[in-house]
Amino acid sequence: MEKTQISVIKTDAGKCFITDCKAKEGYYRNYHNSVIKSLVFDGSKATETFYEHWFEIPSFPKKIEKVISGDRSNLRFELKNPELESENLPMTIPYDDRDLVDDEAREALYNFKFDLVPDYLRNYDCDLVLLCEVDNFRDAPSFNYPAIKKFDFSDKKYTVTNKNVRHSLIDLIVTPEPLRANSPCEISSKEVYDLVRQHVKDNINPRLARITSDYDFCFTVKKIIPLLKPHTYSYQDIFARTKKQRAKLHFKTDTSKEIEIFQMTNEQDNYKGYTPINGFKAPNEWELKEMVDNFLSTLMETINSPIEVCPHCEGAGYLQNLSSQ
């Protein structure tokens, strides 16, 4: 039987990354069943990471053991009713002596019992392959952005994580996953659209702005601006049932008006009349996350900052205080 090969990335941050998956893609990668989960490295179990099929251990292993599930021992049959014990019906029958009692009688009168030996460790022979040693190592930043998109015929929330960050084909081929954070990366326009849409929904101040279009393909936010003077106007309900109701004059007073402050579509849908939001690209994952965080912060500061009608030009202009929330 071929020995398991475990690849190791050693870092100067007091940790190692290990994997026993050789496949880069396809069926054998998607359905790989790692033996690492059942191994113990210098007395400790490996911990899973968000890198697919990669695990983390504290240091380069000196001793590797496998957890062996406890075997069954003392297999036997015990009399269900102890009061029936006799010379022909002993209280306990060892499993190997089960033929001493007729099969039907044994099934009717006895319970099968056994003891479990506790799990134990056994030395595990495998090949450790040091892929590389990394200096100045730091963990990749955590991407954890609530997002929303259409699944089937309804919207469903999901999370944009590190797995949504894309790297170039050459980095996928030559750079082990735990080290890719240092390479150029991006998040697509659709994923940016999904996370921005959910972020606005979660953080908008309804007193200052409201969402007027909220779809998987287009999104609009309008500012609510108080009027200097309430405006009363009249109207007729042309959709009323009767001629008399349609002729009736109604009055309404507006104390605010709305102006569009933000709108977007995504490059995939490119919905007519809306501006496609760009994906984000950066030299590494730390800068990529900083770009996303800065965009969300600036966007919400703009949306949630009050706007007032300018009193000096009779409402022809607006005053916005970006420092107010």
Side-chain angles (χ1 to χ4, degrees):
M1 183 177 179
E2 183 182 359
K3 285 199 298 185
T4 300
Q5 178 179 297
I6 297 178
S7 300
V8 184
I9 296 174
K10 188 177 181 180
T11 77
D12 62 348
K15 65 177 66 176
C16 289
F17 295 98
I18 59 174
T19 184
D20 60 351
C21 182
K22 298 179 183 179
K24 298 293 184 181
E25 59 183 357
Y27 176 87
Y28 291 104
R29 179 172 181 82
N30 295 337
Y31 296 96
H32 175 69
N33 186 19
S34 178
V35 71
I36 290 176
K37 296 179 182 180
S38 65
L39 300 182
V40 174
F41 300 84
D42 297 328
S44 300
K45 298 276 287 184
T47 57
E48 294 190 44
T49 69
F50 52 65
Y51 307 118
E52 190 175 21
H53 304 311
W54 283 90
F55 297 80
E56 182 181 317
I57 56 177
S59 59
F60 195 89
K62 298 177 181 178
K63 184 178 183 180
I64 302 177
E65 299 169 296
K66 185 174 184 178
V67 178
I68 307 299
S69 297
D71 298 325
R72 297 190 301 180
S73 65
N74 190 22
L75 278 63
R76 63 196 184 276
F77 294 92
E78 289 186 359
L79 202 58
K80 295 178 181 180
N81 185 355
E83 294 181 358
L84 297 178
E85 183 180 8
S86 65
E87 184 177 349
N88 294 326
L89 294 174
M91 184 64 194
T92 301
I93 303 174
Y95 184 80
D96 291 340
D97 297 333
R98 58 188 179 278
D99 292 336
L100 295 177
V101 177
D102 178 78
D103 289 346
E104 292 185 6
R106 188 177 65 245
E107 183 175 342
L109 301 175
Y110 285 83
N111 286 323
F112 175 65
K113 296 287 186 74
F114 57 85
D115 298 327
L116 275 179
V117 176
D119 293 351
Y120 60 96
L121 297 176
R122 177 186 295 164
N123 287 337
Y124 187 75
D125 187 22
C126 64
D127 289 329
L128 293 178
V129 178
L130 181 62
L131 293 182
C132 60
E133 296 188 48
V134 182
D135 294 327
N136 302 317
F137 176 83
R138 57 174 174 162
D139 287 313
S142 176
F143 285 76
N144 188 27
Y145 296 100
I148 186 171
K149 67 177 179 180
K150 187 174 290 297
F151 287 89
D152 295 328
F153 299 100
S154 61
D155 286 338
K156 186 175 181 180
K157 292 182 180 180
Y158 74 106
T159 303
V160 174
T161 68
N162 293 73
K163 292 184 178 180
N164 297 98
V165 177
R166 293 174 175 80
H167 294 267
S168 68
L169 178 60
I170 187 64
D171 284 320
L172 294 178
I173 295 173
V174 303
T175 306
E177 195 171 0
L179 306 182
R180 286 182 198 150
N182 277 307
S183 60
C185 52
E186 63 180 302
I187 296 180
S188 72
S189 167
K190 185 62 172 73
E191 287 160 334
V192 171
Y193 179 93
D194 292 345
L195 70 88
V196 168
R197 180 185 171 199
Q198 185 62 47
H199 188 80
V200 173
K201 288 160 68 76
D202 289 341
N203 294 280
I204 193 170
N205 185 336
R207 294 184 299 104
L208 302 174
R210 75 183 185 95
I211 299 168
T212 56
S213 295
D214 182 19
Y215 303 99
D216 192 51
F217 51 88
C218 69
F219 187 79
T220 306
V221 179
K222 290 187 177 181
K223 296 285 287 192
I224 300 172
I225 305 173
L227 297 175
L228 290 175
K229 297 179 180 179
H231 172 62
T232 301
Y233 60 94
S234 62
Y235 67 95
Q236 291 174 302
D237 184 4
I238 62 174
F239 299 105
R241 286 187 182 182
T242 66
K243 184 177 179 180
K244 183 179 180 179
Q245 289 174 326
R246 290 193 293 271
K248 183 179 180 181
L249 204 60
H250 301 270
F251 295 90
K252 184 176 181 180
T253 299
D254 285 339
T255 59
S256 65
K257 65 177 180 178
E258 298 179 353
I259 62 168
E260 186 177 285
I261 191 69
F262 176 70
Q263 54 87 3
M264 65 174 180
T265 182
N266 60 79
E267 293 176 353
Q268 177 179 313
D269 291 297
N270 199 19
Y271 192 68
K272 185 177 180 180
Y274 285 77
T275 305
I277 192 167
N278 294 324
F280 289 104
K281 296 181 179 181
N284 55 62
E285 291 188 13
W286 294 276
E287 293 186 42
L288 183 68
K289 187 176 189 305
E290 185 178 3
M291 290 174 65
V292 176
D293 291 342
N294 288 343
F295 179 86
L296 295 177
S297 176
T298 301
L299 176 62
M300 295 317 302
E301 183 179 8
T302 302
I303 290 175
N304 286 335
S305 297
I307 289 184
E308 300 175 356
V309 173
C310 178
H312 304 294
C313 56
E314 298 183 354
Y318 305 100
L319 302 174
Q320 183 174 19
N321 184 357
L322 290 177
S323 62
S324 299
Q325 296 294 323

